[in-house]
Amino acid sequence: MSGLSYPEREGCRNLLGLLDNDEVMALCDTITNRLVQPEDRQDAIHAILAYSQSVEELLRRKKVHRDIIFKYLASQGVIIPPATEKQHLIRHAKDYWRRQLQLKLKATPEPVNTSQDIRLFEQQKKEDKAEKVDFRQLGEKFCHWFFELLNSQNPFLGPPHNEWGPQHFWHDVKLRFYYNTSEQNMTEYHGAEIVSLRLLSLVKEEYLFLSPNLDSHGLKYASSPHGLVMVGVAGTVHRGNTCLGIFEQIFGLIRCPFVENTWKIKFVNLRILGEHSVAPGTSVKPTIAFEPGDLEAFYNTIALCGTKEV
């Protein structure tokens, strides 16, 4: 599981483009222990980014020469004394990518309510607005829609079924991404564009396939009086024919008041456990270990409109 943020990933992709083909292939062999056999240069760079645990781990590799980092920074307009040591160049690169992320967040536009907003699901019949929503059915339909759309962006599965993008999220959406594979890490992402790109990179760049378990043990749901619907789902994580581990994901959904029968994602909590991090005796079929009452309690710590968390 890659530990690179999206700006770090794109920056390292451009930086690796400055290496010779032989250097790229050798670096791929080192990082993957020769377990991945890339077909070409682009495939090798994909593998390097997917299997690097952090940006520092990648940039500290001997095959990533100091001069390459210096040339990359110079190409981005970051002026640094030529004699700067490699460790300081790495720090400047990380600072630059952090600033890029902040600029991107500030530039995220307010959502525009147009016909281009894609509906998450449509009820088979028009129901009276006062009629109670079947949240179990909503959760199932949402999960079918979300994971089918996300997994379809995996380049190994052919062309995507539909367009993935920030239009499915509220503009101030927050993603908390925790993973425990070869190392533990928790990162937060803010804003519709950044969150949608980070989730997209899981399948498009890291070639993951998320398989949800939608039976009564793997799918939980709850709702609040304010209109927030929470859906918790568990499942397995795959790459090709290999099962890498399990995941647990919580979605916060809010109905869009401007488009009928449309819900958008307000927050996402994603937790991925690698195969070696799963406790002995864990059920083969992934389950959500909390009950709807726990989801409702968790809701009480979330502010709907930008207020501070409790």
Side-chain angles (χ1 to χ4, degrees):
M1 177 66 62
S2 174
L4 279 64
S5 68
Y6 184 80
E8 290 172 345
R9 179 183 297 276
E10 293 306 302
C12 286
R13 188 191 308 279
N14 293 331
L15 187 149
L16 293 172
L18 300 175
L19 295 176
D20 296 335
N21 285 342
D22 291 344
E23 294 174 321
V24 170
M25 294 300 181
L27 183 59
C28 179
D29 287 343
T30 300
I31 290 177
T32 65
N33 290 325
R34 299 182 181 274
L35 297 178
V36 175
Q37 300 298 322
E39 296 182 359
D40 52 29
R41 176 189 180 88
Q42 184 178 8
D43 196 21
I45 291 177
H46 275 307
I48 291 170
L49 297 175
Y51 287 92
S52 293
Q53 297 300 316
S54 69
V55 68
E56 283 203 39
E57 179 203 58
L58 174 56
L59 296 184
R60 287 182 183 276
R61 299 279 184 179
K62 291 182 179 180
K63 294 180 175 63
V64 182
H65 309 299
R66 172 197 165 281
D67 292 348
I68 293 297
I69 304 175
F70 180 85
K71 288 179 182 179
Y72 167 78
L73 290 172
S75 70
Q76 302 302 309
V78 181
I79 307 303
I80 300 171
T84 303
E85 296 181 357
K86 183 178 180 180
Q87 60 182 1
H88 297 305
L89 291 174
I90 293 174
R91 179 172 55 80
H92 282 292
K94 290 176 63 179
D95 290 343
Y96 172 71
W97 292 325
R98 190 179 300 111
R99 291 195 301 272
Q100 292 299 108
L101 177 59
Q102 293 171 349
L103 290 174
K104 206 169 189 63
L105 286 171
K106 291 180 180 179
T108 301
E110 294 290 322
V112 179
N113 298 300
T114 69
S115 58
Q116 294 179 354
D117 285 344
I118 298 177
R119 296 182 177 185
L120 302 187
F121 68 90
E122 295 183 359
Q123 299 174 349
Q124 295 180 353
K125 299 179 181 180
K126 284 190 175 181
E127 300 177 337
D128 187 276
K129 291 185 178 179
E131 187 173 347
K132 185 177 180 180
V133 176
D134 184 340
F135 293 115
R136 172 74 192 185
Q137 184 183 50
L138 188 157
E140 289 182 356
K141 286 188 174 182
F142 168 77
C143 287
H144 276 298
W145 168 83
F146 179 85
F147 290 104
E148 180 180 351
L149 177 60
L150 180 61
N151 286 324
S152 73
Q153 311 302 310
N154 190 316
F156 290 157
L157 302 181
H161 296 171
N162 287 298
E163 180 182 358
W164 173 273
Q167 68 270 21
H168 305 306
F169 303 84
W170 291 100
H171 74 99
D172 57 350
V173 63
K174 178 164 68 175
L175 165 65
R176 285 179 176 170
F177 181 28
Y178 167 84
Y179 64 86
N180 188 351
T181 51
S182 60
E183 65 175 15
Q184 294 186 22
N185 194 12
M186 199 283 286
T187 309
E188 289 191 0
Y189 302 87
H190 300 266
E193 184 172 358
I194 298 300
V195 169
S196 66
L197 288 173
R198 183 63 185 99
L199 292 172
L200 176 63
S201 71
L202 293 176
V203 296
K204 191 173 182 180
E205 304 290 346
E206 301 179 40
Y207 310 126
L208 299 184
F209 185 94
L210 304 181
S211 178
N213 171 28
L214 300 182
D215 67 14
S216 59
H217 298 292
L219 177 65
K220 302 291 182 180
Y221 60 92
S223 64
S224 80
H226 307 84
L228 176 68
V229 176
M230 303 181 61
V231 178
V233 63
T236 50
V237 183
H238 306 260
R239 181 184 288 126
N241 295 323
T242 304
C243 180
L244 301 178
I246 61 176
F247 75 90
E248 295 175 354
Q249 195 159 6
I250 300 176
F251 299 92
L253 308 178
I254 298 179
R255 187 195 298 268
C256 180
F258 308 108
V259 185
E260 187 179 1
N261 296 332
T262 298
W263 298 72
K264 290 189 176 185
I265 302 170
K266 176 68 174 178
F267 67 84
V268 185
N269 286 4
L270 174 58
R271 182 169 180 254
I272 294 181
L273 298 177
E275 181 180 8
H276 300 296
S277 303
V278 178
T282 300
S283 172
V284 174
K285 180 174 283 190
T287 61
I288 287 289
F290 42 73
E291 297 300 320
D294 298 320
L295 284 175
E296 292 168 358
F298 178 73
Y299 156 75
N300 290 330
T301 69
I302 300 296
L304 289 182
C305 299
T307 55
K308 294 183 179 178
E309 295 180 4
V310 176

